[in-house]
Amino acid sequence: MSNSLNNKIKELTDIQRYVTQERGTEAPFTGHLLHNKLVGVYHCVCCDSPLFYSDTKFDSGCGWPSFFEAITPDAVRYIDDYSHNMHRVEIRCNHCDAHLGHVFPDGPPPTGKRYCINSASMVFVDEQSGEKSIG
């Protein structure tokens, strides 16, 4: 791990560290980015890699920001997760391996996927102002 990434991880809040480094989950309906409707790009809070465009975000009602598609096919990686006595597919940042959330096969067209992502794992960058909103 690079020194800059190590330094960035040291600066994370407790919830950001819990989610991204310990594969935790923030409580539903508590994330700062859940109701964000601005146009821009969601990035990894650890390494700043782009993850999702705002136009792929939708309200799934699940309590976490949901997207139907990653920004590029290789932006995230998929890992079978058998914790909690069930099978799910975990999503991690493909650049730094930070835990982001899970993907489910019940999303809207065109992909039919629901990327259920913790706000604490992301930073939103507003397309107009360049202002960052930390999840």
Short mmCIF file of all heavy atoms in Angstrom, two decimals, residues 36-102:
data_model
loop_
_atom_site.label_atom_id
_atom_site.label_comp_id
_atom_site.label_asym_id
_atom_site.label_seq_id
_atom_site.Cartn_x
_atom_site.Cartn_y
_atom_site.Cartn_z
N ASN A 36 -28.83 12.59 -1.80
CA ASN A 36 -28.15 13.53 -2.71
C ASN A 36 -28.71 13.39 -4.12
O ASN A 36 -28.78 12.29 -4.66
CB ASN A 36 -26.64 13.23 -2.71
CG ASN A 36 -25.88 14.16 -3.61
OD1 ASN A 36 -26.18 15.35 -3.68
ND2 ASN A 36 -24.89 13.64 -4.30
N LYS A 37 -29.12 14.50 -4.70
CA LYS A 37 -29.68 14.49 -6.05
C LYS A 37 -28.88 15.36 -7.02
O LYS A 37 -29.31 15.62 -8.14
CB LYS A 37 -31.14 14.95 -6.01
CG LYS A 37 -32.00 14.07 -5.12
CD LYS A 37 -33.40 13.96 -5.64
CE LYS A 37 -34.32 13.20 -4.73
NZ LYS A 37 -33.99 11.85 -4.46
N LEU A 38 -27.71 15.83 -6.60
CA LEU A 38 -26.88 16.68 -7.44
C LEU A 38 -26.21 15.85 -8.54
O LEU A 38 -26.05 14.64 -8.42
CB LEU A 38 -25.82 17.39 -6.60
CG LEU A 38 -26.36 18.32 -5.51
CD1 LEU A 38 -25.23 18.82 -4.63
CD2 LEU A 38 -27.13 19.47 -6.13
N VAL A 39 -25.79 16.53 -9.60
CA VAL A 39 -25.11 15.88 -10.72
C VAL A 39 -23.61 15.87 -10.47
O VAL A 39 -23.03 16.90 -10.12
CB VAL A 39 -25.43 16.61 -12.05
CG1 VAL A 39 -24.64 16.01 -13.20
CG2 VAL A 39 -26.92 16.57 -12.34
N GLY A 40 -23.01 14.71 -10.61
CA GLY A 40 -21.58 14.59 -10.40
C GLY A 40 -21.14 13.14 -10.36
O GLY A 40 -21.80 12.26 -10.91
N VAL A 41 -20.03 12.91 -9.66
CA VAL A 41 -19.42 11.59 -9.61
C VAL A 41 -19.14 11.20 -8.16
O VAL A 41 -18.67 12.02 -7.37
CB VAL A 41 -18.10 11.55 -10.43
CG1 VAL A 41 -17.42 10.20 -10.34
CG2 VAL A 41 -18.37 11.91 -11.89
N TYR A 42 -19.42 9.95 -7.84
CA TYR A 42 -19.13 9.38 -6.53
C TYR A 42 -17.76 8.69 -6.61
O TYR A 42 -17.53 7.89 -7.52
CB TYR A 42 -20.21 8.38 -6.12
CG TYR A 42 -21.54 9.04 -5.88
CD1 TYR A 42 -22.42 9.31 -6.94
CD2 TYR A 42 -21.91 9.42 -4.59
CE1 TYR A 42 -23.63 9.93 -6.71
CE2 TYR A 42 -23.13 10.04 -4.36
CZ TYR A 42 -23.99 10.29 -5.42
OH TYR A 42 -25.19 10.92 -5.21
N HIS A 43 -16.89 9.01 -5.65
CA HIS A 43 -15.53 8.48 -5.62
C HIS A 43 -15.31 7.66 -4.35
O HIS A 43 -16.00 7.87 -3.35
CB HIS A 43 -14.51 9.63 -5.60
CG HIS A 43 -14.50 10.45 -6.84
ND1 HIS A 43 -13.51 10.38 -7.77
CD2 HIS A 43 -15.38 11.39 -7.29
CE1 HIS A 43 -13.75 11.23 -8.75
NE2 HIS A 43 -14.89 11.85 -8.49
N CYS A 44 -14.29 6.82 -4.37
CA CYS A 44 -13.89 6.06 -3.19
C CYS A 44 -13.31 7.03 -2.15
O CYS A 44 -12.46 7.87 -2.48
CB CYS A 44 -12.85 5.02 -3.57
SG CYS A 44 -12.19 4.09 -2.17
N VAL A 45 -13.75 6.93 -0.91
CA VAL A 45 -13.27 7.81 0.16
C VAL A 45 -11.81 7.54 0.50
O VAL A 45 -11.11 8.42 0.99
CB VAL A 45 -14.17 7.71 1.42
CG1 VAL A 45 -13.95 6.38 2.13
CG2 VAL A 45 -13.95 8.88 2.36
N CYS A 46 -11.32 6.35 0.19
CA CYS A 46 -9.93 5.99 0.54
C CYS A 46 -8.92 6.41 -0.52
O CYS A 46 -7.86 6.94 -0.18
CB CYS A 46 -9.82 4.49 0.76
SG CYS A 46 -10.75 3.89 2.17
N CYS A 47 -9.23 6.20 -1.79
CA CYS A 47 -8.23 6.44 -2.84
C CYS A 47 -8.67 7.43 -3.89
O CYS A 47 -7.92 7.75 -4.81
CB CYS A 47 -7.82 5.13 -3.50
SG CYS A 47 -9.12 4.40 -4.53
N ASP A 48 -9.91 7.92 -3.81
CA ASP A 48 -10.47 8.91 -4.72
C ASP A 48 -10.74 8.37 -6.13
O ASP A 48 -11.00 9.12 -7.05
CB ASP A 48 -9.59 10.16 -4.79
CG ASP A 48 -10.36 11.38 -5.23
OD1 ASP A 48 -11.55 11.50 -4.83
OD2 ASP A 48 -9.82 12.20 -5.99
N SER A 49 -10.72 7.06 -6.33
CA SER A 49 -11.05 6.50 -7.63
C SER A 49 -12.53 6.71 -7.92
O SER A 49 -13.37 6.53 -7.03
CB SER A 49 -10.74 5.00 -7.67
OG SER A 49 -9.37 4.76 -7.62
N PRO A 50 -12.89 7.09 -9.14
CA PRO A 50 -14.30 7.24 -9.49
C PRO A 50 -15.02 5.89 -9.48
O PRO A 50 -14.48 4.90 -9.97
CB PRO A 50 -14.28 7.86 -10.88
CG PRO A 50 -12.91 7.63 -11.41
CD PRO A 50 -12.00 7.40 -10.25
N LEU A 51 -16.24 5.89 -8.93
CA LEU A 51 -17.00 4.65 -8.79
C LEU A 51 -18.33 4.65 -9.53
O LEU A 51 -18.65 3.69 -10.22
CB LEU A 51 -17.28 4.38 -7.30
CG LEU A 51 -16.06 4.21 -6.40
CD1 LEU A 51 -16.50 4.19 -4.93
CD2 LEU A 51 -15.31 2.94 -6.76
N PHE A 52 -19.12 5.74 -9.36
CA PHE A 52 -20.47 5.79 -9.93
C PHE A 52 -20.80 7.20 -10.43
O PHE A 52 -20.45 8.18 -9.77
CB PHE A 52 -21.52 5.42 -8.88
CG PHE A 52 -21.33 4.05 -8.28
CD1 PHE A 52 -20.68 3.90 -7.07
CD2 PHE A 52 -21.82 2.93 -8.93
CE1 PHE A 52 -20.50 2.66 -6.50
CE2 PHE A 52 -21.63 1.66 -8.37
CZ PHE A 52 -20.97 1.53 -7.16
N TYR A 53 -21.48 7.28 -11.56
CA TYR A 53 -22.05 8.55 -12.03
C TYR A 53 -23.39 8.77 -11.33
O TYR A 53 -24.13 7.81 -11.07
CB TYR A 53 -22.31 8.52 -13.54
CG TYR A 53 -21.08 8.59 -14.40
CD1 TYR A 53 -20.79 7.58 -15.30
CD2 TYR A 53 -20.21 9.68 -14.34
CE1 TYR A 53 -19.67 7.63 -16.11
CE2 TYR A 53 -19.09 9.74 -15.16
CZ TYR A 53 -18.82 8.71 -16.04
OH TYR A 53 -17.72 8.77 -16.84
N SER A 54 -23.70 10.02 -11.07
CA SER A 54 -24.96 10.33 -10.39
C SER A 54 -26.18 9.91 -11.20
O SER A 54 -27.23 9.62 -10.62
CB SER A 54 -25.04 11.82 -10.07
OG SER A 54 -24.98 12.59 -11.25
N ASP A 55 -26.07 9.87 -12.54
CA ASP A 55 -27.24 9.50 -13.33
C ASP A 55 -27.55 8.00 -13.29
O ASP A 55 -28.54 7.56 -13.86
CB ASP A 55 -27.14 10.01 -14.76
CG ASP A 55 -26.00 9.42 -15.56
OD1 ASP A 55 -25.19 8.64 -15.01
OD2 ASP A 55 -25.88 9.76 -16.76
N THR A 56 -26.73 7.23 -12.57
CA THR A 56 -27.04 5.81 -12.37
C THR A 56 -27.59 5.55 -10.96
O THR A 56 -27.88 4.42 -10.62
CB THR A 56 -25.79 4.91 -12.60
OG1 THR A 56 -24.81 5.20 -11.61
CG2 THR A 56 -25.22 5.13 -14.00
N LYS A 57 -27.75 6.62 -10.19
CA LYS A 57 -28.28 6.51 -8.82
C LYS A 57 -29.81 6.48 -8.88
O LYS A 57 -30.42 7.18 -9.69
CB LYS A 57 -27.81 7.71 -7.98
CG LYS A 57 -28.12 7.61 -6.50
CD LYS A 57 -27.43 8.75 -5.76
CE LYS A 57 -27.54 8.60 -4.27
NZ LYS A 57 -28.67 9.30 -3.71
N PHE A 58 -30.41 5.67 -8.02
CA PHE A 58 -31.87 5.62 -7.95
C PHE A 58 -32.30 5.36 -6.51
O PHE A 58 -31.51 4.91 -5.68
CB PHE A 58 -32.43 4.54 -8.90
CG PHE A 58 -32.10 3.13 -8.51
CD1 PHE A 58 -33.03 2.34 -7.85
CD2 PHE A 58 -30.86 2.57 -8.82
CE1 PHE A 58 -32.73 1.02 -7.49
CE2 PHE A 58 -30.56 1.25 -8.47
CZ PHE A 58 -31.49 0.48 -7.81
N ASP A 59 -33.55 5.66 -6.21
CA ASP A 59 -34.08 5.46 -4.87
C ASP A 59 -34.67 4.06 -4.79
O ASP A 59 -35.78 3.81 -5.27
CB ASP A 59 -35.13 6.50 -4.54
CG ASP A 59 -35.66 6.39 -3.12
OD1 ASP A 59 -35.20 5.51 -2.37
OD2 ASP A 59 -36.55 7.19 -2.76
N SER A 60 -33.94 3.15 -4.16
CA SER A 60 -34.41 1.77 -4.04
C SER A 60 -35.25 1.56 -2.79
O SER A 60 -35.89 0.53 -2.65
CB SER A 60 -33.21 0.82 -4.01
OG SER A 60 -32.49 0.99 -2.80
N GLY A 61 -35.21 2.53 -1.87
CA GLY A 61 -35.94 2.40 -0.63
C GLY A 61 -35.26 1.52 0.40
O GLY A 61 -35.82 1.26 1.46
N CYS A 62 -34.03 1.08 0.12
CA CYS A 62 -33.35 0.14 1.02
C CYS A 62 -32.62 0.83 2.16
O CYS A 62 -32.20 0.17 3.11
CB CYS A 62 -32.39 -0.74 0.24
SG CYS A 62 -30.92 0.10 -0.37
N GLY A 63 -32.41 2.16 2.08
CA GLY A 63 -31.74 2.88 3.16
C GLY A 63 -30.29 3.22 2.89
O GLY A 63 -29.64 3.86 3.71
N TRP A 64 -29.76 2.79 1.74
CA TRP A 64 -28.40 3.11 1.35
C TRP A 64 -28.43 3.64 -0.08
O TRP A 64 -29.33 3.28 -0.86
CB TRP A 64 -27.50 1.87 1.41
CG TRP A 64 -27.28 1.36 2.78
CD1 TRP A 64 -26.32 1.77 3.66
CD2 TRP A 64 -28.03 0.36 3.46
NE1 TRP A 64 -26.43 1.07 4.84
CE2 TRP A 64 -27.47 0.20 4.74
CE3 TRP A 64 -29.13 -0.43 3.10
CZ2 TRP A 64 -27.96 -0.71 5.67
CZ3 TRP A 64 -29.62 -1.34 4.02
CH2 TRP A 64 -29.04 -1.46 5.30
N PRO A 65 -27.47 4.49 -0.46
CA PRO A 65 -27.42 4.93 -1.86
C PRO A 65 -27.36 3.71 -2.78
O PRO A 65 -26.61 2.76 -2.52
CB PRO A 65 -26.12 5.74 -1.93
CG PRO A 65 -25.88 6.20 -0.53
CD PRO A 65 -26.40 5.07 0.34
N SER A 66 -28.16 3.74 -3.84
CA SER A 66 -28.22 2.62 -4.78
C SER A 66 -27.93 3.11 -6.19
O SER A 66 -28.37 4.19 -6.59
CB SER A 66 -29.59 1.97 -4.75
OG SER A 66 -29.84 1.42 -3.47
N PHE A 67 -27.22 2.30 -6.94
CA PHE A 67 -26.83 2.59 -8.31
C PHE A 67 -27.10 1.36 -9.16
O PHE A 67 -27.05 0.24 -8.66
CB PHE A 67 -25.33 2.92 -8.39
CG PHE A 67 -24.92 4.05 -7.48
CD1 PHE A 67 -24.60 3.82 -6.15
CD2 PHE A 67 -24.85 5.36 -7.96
CE1 PHE A 67 -24.23 4.86 -5.30
CE2 PHE A 67 -24.48 6.40 -7.12
CZ PHE A 67 -24.17 6.15 -5.80
N PHE A 68 -27.38 1.56 -10.46
CA PHE A 68 -27.61 0.40 -11.30
C PHE A 68 -26.40 0.01 -12.13
O PHE A 68 -26.42 -1.01 -12.82
CB PHE A 68 -28.86 0.55 -12.19
CG PHE A 68 -28.83 1.69 -13.17
CD1 PHE A 68 -28.12 1.61 -14.36
CD2 PHE A 68 -29.56 2.84 -12.91
CE1 PHE A 68 -28.13 2.64 -15.27
CE2 PHE A 68 -29.56 3.89 -13.81
CZ PHE A 68 -28.84 3.78 -15.00
N GLU A 69 -25.31 0.81 -12.04
CA GLU A 69 -24.13 0.50 -12.84
C GLU A 69 -22.91 1.22 -12.29
O GLU A 69 -23.00 2.37 -11.88
CB GLU A 69 -24.38 0.94 -14.29
CG GLU A 69 -23.31 0.60 -15.27
CD GLU A 69 -23.75 0.97 -16.68
OE1 GLU A 69 -24.19 2.12 -16.90
OE2 GLU A 69 -23.67 0.09 -17.54
N ALA A 70 -21.77 0.54 -12.28
CA ALA A 70 -20.50 1.17 -11.90
C ALA A 70 -20.03 2.06 -13.04
O ALA A 70 -20.44 1.90 -14.19
CB ALA A 70 -19.46 0.11 -11.58
N ILE A 71 -19.15 3.01 -12.73
CA ILE A 71 -18.69 3.99 -13.70
C ILE A 71 -17.96 3.34 -14.88
O ILE A 71 -18.07 3.79 -16.02
CB ILE A 71 -17.82 5.08 -13.01
CG1 ILE A 71 -17.75 6.33 -13.85
CG2 ILE A 71 -16.47 4.54 -12.62
CD1 ILE A 71 -17.25 7.55 -13.09
N THR A 72 -17.21 2.28 -14.61
CA THR A 72 -16.58 1.44 -15.63
C THR A 72 -16.67 -0.01 -15.15
O THR A 72 -16.78 -0.25 -13.95
CB THR A 72 -15.09 1.79 -15.88
OG1 THR A 72 -14.36 1.55 -14.68
CG2 THR A 72 -14.92 3.24 -16.32
N PRO A 73 -16.57 -0.97 -16.04
CA PRO A 73 -16.65 -2.37 -15.61
C PRO A 73 -15.56 -2.77 -14.62
O PRO A 73 -15.77 -3.66 -13.79
CB PRO A 73 -16.49 -3.17 -16.91
CG PRO A 73 -16.94 -2.23 -17.98
CD PRO A 73 -16.54 -0.85 -17.51
N ASP A 74 -14.41 -2.10 -14.65
CA ASP A 74 -13.34 -2.48 -13.74
C ASP A 74 -13.17 -1.52 -12.56
O ASP A 74 -12.17 -1.58 -11.85
CB ASP A 74 -12.02 -2.63 -14.50
CG ASP A 74 -11.56 -1.35 -15.16
OD1 ASP A 74 -12.35 -0.40 -15.27
OD2 ASP A 74 -10.39 -1.30 -15.58
N ALA A 75 -14.15 -0.67 -12.28
CA ALA A 75 -14.06 0.25 -11.15
C ALA A 75 -14.21 -0.48 -9.82
O ALA A 75 -13.65 -0.07 -8.81
CB ALA A 75 -15.12 1.35 -11.26
N VAL A 76 -15.00 -1.52 -9.82
CA VAL A 76 -15.23 -2.31 -8.61
C VAL A 76 -14.91 -3.77 -8.88
O VAL A 76 -14.90 -4.21 -10.02
CB VAL A 76 -16.68 -2.18 -8.09
CG1 VAL A 76 -17.00 -0.75 -7.71
CG2 VAL A 76 -17.68 -2.69 -9.09
N ARG A 77 -14.65 -4.49 -7.80
CA ARG A 77 -14.48 -5.93 -7.95
C ARG A 77 -15.51 -6.63 -7.09
O ARG A 77 -16.05 -6.07 -6.13
CB ARG A 77 -13.06 -6.38 -7.66
CG ARG A 77 -12.58 -6.30 -6.27
CD ARG A 77 -11.08 -6.69 -6.21
NE ARG A 77 -10.64 -6.82 -4.86
CZ ARG A 77 -10.47 -7.98 -4.24
NH1 ARG A 77 -10.70 -9.11 -4.87
NH2 ARG A 77 -10.06 -8.02 -2.99
N TYR A 78 -15.81 -7.85 -7.45
CA TYR A 78 -16.89 -8.62 -6.88
C TYR A 78 -16.33 -9.82 -6.11
O TYR A 78 -15.50 -10.55 -6.63
CB TYR A 78 -17.83 -9.10 -7.98
CG TYR A 78 -18.33 -7.97 -8.85
CD1 TYR A 78 -17.60 -7.54 -9.95
CD2 TYR A 78 -19.52 -7.32 -8.56
CE1 TYR A 78 -18.05 -6.48 -10.74
CE2 TYR A 78 -19.97 -6.27 -9.35
CZ TYR A 78 -19.23 -5.86 -10.44
OH TYR A 78 -19.67 -4.82 -11.21
N ILE A 79 -16.83 -10.01 -4.89
CA ILE A 79 -16.35 -11.11 -4.05
C ILE A 79 -17.57 -11.82 -3.46
O ILE A 79 -18.46 -11.18 -2.88
CB ILE A 79 -15.47 -10.57 -2.90
CG1 ILE A 79 -14.26 -9.85 -3.48
CG2 ILE A 79 -15.05 -11.69 -1.97
CD1 ILE A 79 -13.49 -9.06 -2.46
N ASP A 80 -17.60 -13.13 -3.60
CA ASP A 80 -18.67 -13.90 -2.96
C ASP A 80 -18.56 -13.74 -1.45
O ASP A 80 -17.48 -13.90 -0.88
CB ASP A 80 -18.59 -15.38 -3.35
CG ASP A 80 -19.04 -15.62 -4.77
OD1 ASP A 80 -19.98 -14.96 -5.22
OD2 ASP A 80 -18.44 -16.49 -5.43
N ASP A 81 -19.66 -13.43 -0.81
CA ASP A 81 -19.72 -13.19 0.63
C ASP A 81 -20.74 -14.15 1.23
O ASP A 81 -21.92 -14.09 0.89
CB ASP A 81 -20.13 -11.73 0.86
CG ASP A 81 -20.33 -11.37 2.32
OD1 ASP A 81 -20.13 -12.22 3.20
OD2 ASP A 81 -20.72 -10.21 2.58
N TYR A 82 -20.28 -15.04 2.09
CA TYR A 82 -21.15 -16.03 2.73
C TYR A 82 -21.37 -15.74 4.21
O TYR A 82 -21.81 -16.59 4.96
CB TYR A 82 -20.57 -17.44 2.54
CG TYR A 82 -20.59 -17.87 1.09
CD1 TYR A 82 -19.46 -17.74 0.30
CD2 TYR A 82 -21.74 -18.39 0.52
CE1 TYR A 82 -19.46 -18.11 -1.03
CE2 TYR A 82 -21.76 -18.76 -0.82
CZ TYR A 82 -20.62 -18.63 -1.58
OH TYR A 82 -20.64 -18.99 -2.91
N SER A 83 -21.09 -14.50 4.62
CA SER A 83 -21.32 -14.14 6.03
C SER A 83 -22.82 -14.04 6.31
O SER A 83 -23.64 -13.97 5.39
CB SER A 83 -20.62 -12.81 6.34
OG SER A 83 -21.18 -11.76 5.58
N HIS A 84 -23.17 -14.03 7.55
CA HIS A 84 -24.56 -13.91 8.00
C HIS A 84 -25.45 -15.04 7.46
O HIS A 84 -26.64 -14.84 7.23
CB HIS A 84 -25.15 -12.54 7.63
CG HIS A 84 -24.32 -11.40 8.13
ND1 HIS A 84 -24.24 -11.08 9.47
CD2 HIS A 84 -23.52 -10.51 7.48
CE1 HIS A 84 -23.43 -10.04 9.62
NE2 HIS A 84 -22.97 -9.69 8.44
N ASN A 85 -24.85 -16.20 7.23
CA ASN A 85 -25.58 -17.40 6.78
C ASN A 85 -26.37 -17.19 5.50
O ASN A 85 -27.49 -17.69 5.36
CB ASN A 85 -26.50 -17.92 7.90
CG ASN A 85 -25.72 -18.37 9.11
OD1 ASN A 85 -24.71 -19.05 8.97
ND2 ASN A 85 -26.16 -17.97 10.30
N MET A 86 -25.80 -16.42 4.58
CA MET A 86 -26.45 -16.21 3.28
C MET A 86 -25.37 -15.92 2.24
O MET A 86 -24.24 -15.61 2.59
CB MET A 86 -27.45 -15.06 3.33
CG MET A 86 -26.81 -13.69 3.58
SD MET A 86 -28.00 -12.36 3.60
CE MET A 86 -28.07 -12.04 5.35
N HIS A 87 -25.74 -16.01 0.98
CA HIS A 87 -24.81 -15.67 -0.09
C HIS A 87 -25.17 -14.29 -0.64
O HIS A 87 -26.31 -14.03 -0.99
CB HIS A 87 -24.86 -16.68 -1.24
CG HIS A 87 -24.00 -16.27 -2.39
ND1 HIS A 87 -24.52 -15.90 -3.60
CD2 HIS A 87 -22.65 -16.15 -2.49
CE1 HIS A 87 -23.52 -15.58 -4.41
NE2 HIS A 87 -22.38 -15.72 -3.76
N ARG A 88 -24.16 -13.41 -0.62
CA ARG A 88 -24.29 -12.09 -1.24
C ARG A 88 -23.03 -11.85 -2.06
O ARG A 88 -22.06 -12.62 -1.96
CB ARG A 88 -24.41 -10.99 -0.18
CG ARG A 88 -25.63 -11.12 0.71
CD ARG A 88 -25.70 -10.03 1.75
NE ARG A 88 -24.58 -10.16 2.69
CZ ARG A 88 -24.28 -9.26 3.63
NH1 ARG A 88 -24.99 -8.16 3.75
NH2 ARG A 88 -23.28 -9.44 4.45
N VAL A 89 -23.04 -10.78 -2.86
CA VAL A 89 -21.85 -10.40 -3.61
C VAL A 89 -21.37 -9.07 -3.08
O VAL A 89 -22.04 -8.04 -3.22
CB VAL A 89 -22.13 -10.34 -5.13
CG1 VAL A 89 -20.88 -9.90 -5.88
CG2 VAL A 89 -22.63 -11.69 -5.63
N GLU A 90 -20.21 -9.11 -2.44
CA GLU A 90 -19.59 -7.91 -1.89
C GLU A 90 -18.96 -7.09 -3.01
O GLU A 90 -18.45 -7.65 -3.98
CB GLU A 90 -18.51 -8.31 -0.87
CG GLU A 90 -17.79 -7.13 -0.26
CD GLU A 90 -16.62 -7.53 0.63
OE1 GLU A 90 -16.38 -8.74 0.81
OE2 GLU A 90 -15.94 -6.62 1.13
N ILE A 91 -18.99 -5.76 -2.85
CA ILE A 91 -18.36 -4.85 -3.80
C ILE A 91 -17.21 -4.16 -3.10
O ILE A 91 -17.38 -3.61 -2.00
CB ILE A 91 -19.37 -3.77 -4.27
CG1 ILE A 91 -20.57 -4.43 -4.91
CG2 ILE A 91 -18.71 -2.79 -5.22
CD1 ILE A 91 -20.26 -5.27 -6.09
N ARG A 92 -16.05 -4.16 -3.75
CA ARG A 92 -14.88 -3.44 -3.23
C ARG A 92 -14.31 -2.54 -4.32
O ARG A 92 -14.45 -2.83 -5.50
CB ARG A 92 -13.79 -4.41 -2.79
CG ARG A 92 -14.16 -5.22 -1.57
CD ARG A 92 -12.96 -5.92 -1.02
NE ARG A 92 -13.34 -6.88 0.01
CZ ARG A 92 -12.48 -7.66 0.60
NH1 ARG A 92 -11.19 -7.61 0.30
NH2 ARG A 92 -12.88 -8.52 1.52
N CYS A 93 -13.67 -1.46 -3.90
CA CYS A 93 -12.97 -0.61 -4.84
C CYS A 93 -11.87 -1.44 -5.48
O CYS A 93 -11.08 -2.08 -4.79
CB CYS A 93 -12.36 0.60 -4.11
SG CYS A 93 -11.33 1.65 -5.16
N ASN A 94 -11.82 -1.45 -6.79
CA ASN A 94 -10.82 -2.25 -7.49
C ASN A 94 -9.42 -1.67 -7.37
O ASN A 94 -8.44 -2.37 -7.56
CB ASN A 94 -11.21 -2.42 -8.96
CG ASN A 94 -10.54 -3.61 -9.59
OD1 ASN A 94 -10.24 -4.59 -8.93
ND2 ASN A 94 -10.28 -3.52 -10.88
N HIS A 95 -9.31 -0.40 -7.02
CA HIS A 95 -8.00 0.24 -6.91
C HIS A 95 -7.36 0.00 -5.54
O HIS A 95 -6.19 -0.35 -5.45
CB HIS A 95 -8.11 1.73 -7.20
CG HIS A 95 -6.80 2.44 -7.18
ND1 HIS A 95 -6.37 3.17 -6.10
CD2 HIS A 95 -5.81 2.50 -8.09
CE1 HIS A 95 -5.18 3.66 -6.36
NE2 HIS A 95 -4.81 3.26 -7.55
N CYS A 96 -8.12 0.19 -4.45
CA CYS A 96 -7.52 0.11 -3.11
C CYS A 96 -8.11 -0.99 -2.22
O CYS A 96 -7.68 -1.15 -1.09
CB CYS A 96 -7.64 1.46 -2.40
SG CYS A 96 -9.31 1.87 -1.87
N ASP A 97 -9.10 -1.71 -2.71
CA ASP A 97 -9.72 -2.83 -2.00
C ASP A 97 -10.63 -2.41 -0.85
O ASP A 97 -10.98 -3.22 0.00
CB ASP A 97 -8.65 -3.82 -1.51
CG ASP A 97 -9.20 -5.23 -1.34
OD1 ASP A 97 -10.01 -5.65 -2.17
OD2 ASP A 97 -8.81 -5.89 -0.36
N ALA A 98 -11.04 -1.14 -0.79
CA ALA A 98 -11.97 -0.70 0.25
C ALA A 98 -13.34 -1.34 0.06
O ALA A 98 -13.84 -1.42 -1.06
CB ALA A 98 -12.11 0.83 0.21
N HIS A 99 -13.93 -1.80 1.15
CA HIS A 99 -15.29 -2.33 1.11
C HIS A 99 -16.25 -1.18 0.83
O HIS A 99 -16.18 -0.13 1.46
CB HIS A 99 -15.63 -2.99 2.45
CG HIS A 99 -17.06 -3.40 2.57
ND1 HIS A 99 -17.58 -4.51 1.95
CD2 HIS A 99 -18.10 -2.83 3.23
CE1 HIS A 99 -18.86 -4.62 2.23
NE2 HIS A 99 -19.20 -3.60 3.02
N LEU A 100 -17.18 -1.41 -0.11
CA LEU A 100 -18.16 -0.39 -0.48
C LEU A 100 -19.58 -0.80 -0.09
O LEU A 100 -20.37 0.03 0.36
CB LEU A 100 -18.12 -0.13 -1.99
CG LEU A 100 -16.76 0.25 -2.57
CD1 LEU A 100 -16.82 0.27 -4.10
CD2 LEU A 100 -16.31 1.60 -2.03
N GLY A 101 -19.92 -2.06 -0.28
CA GLY A 101 -21.27 -2.54 -0.03
C GLY A 101 -21.48 -3.86 -0.73
O GLY A 101 -20.56 -4.68 -0.83
N HIS A 102 -22.69 -4.07 -1.28
CA HIS A 102 -23.03 -5.31 -1.98
C HIS A 102 -23.85 -4.99 -3.23
O HIS A 102 -24.44 -3.91 -3.32
CB HIS A 102 -23.84 -6.23 -1.05
CG HIS A 102 -23.04 -6.78 0.07
ND1 HIS A 102 -22.83 -6.07 1.24
CD2 HIS A 102 -22.38 -7.95 0.21
CE1 HIS A 102 -22.07 -6.80 2.05
NE2 HIS A 102 -21.79 -7.94 1.46
#
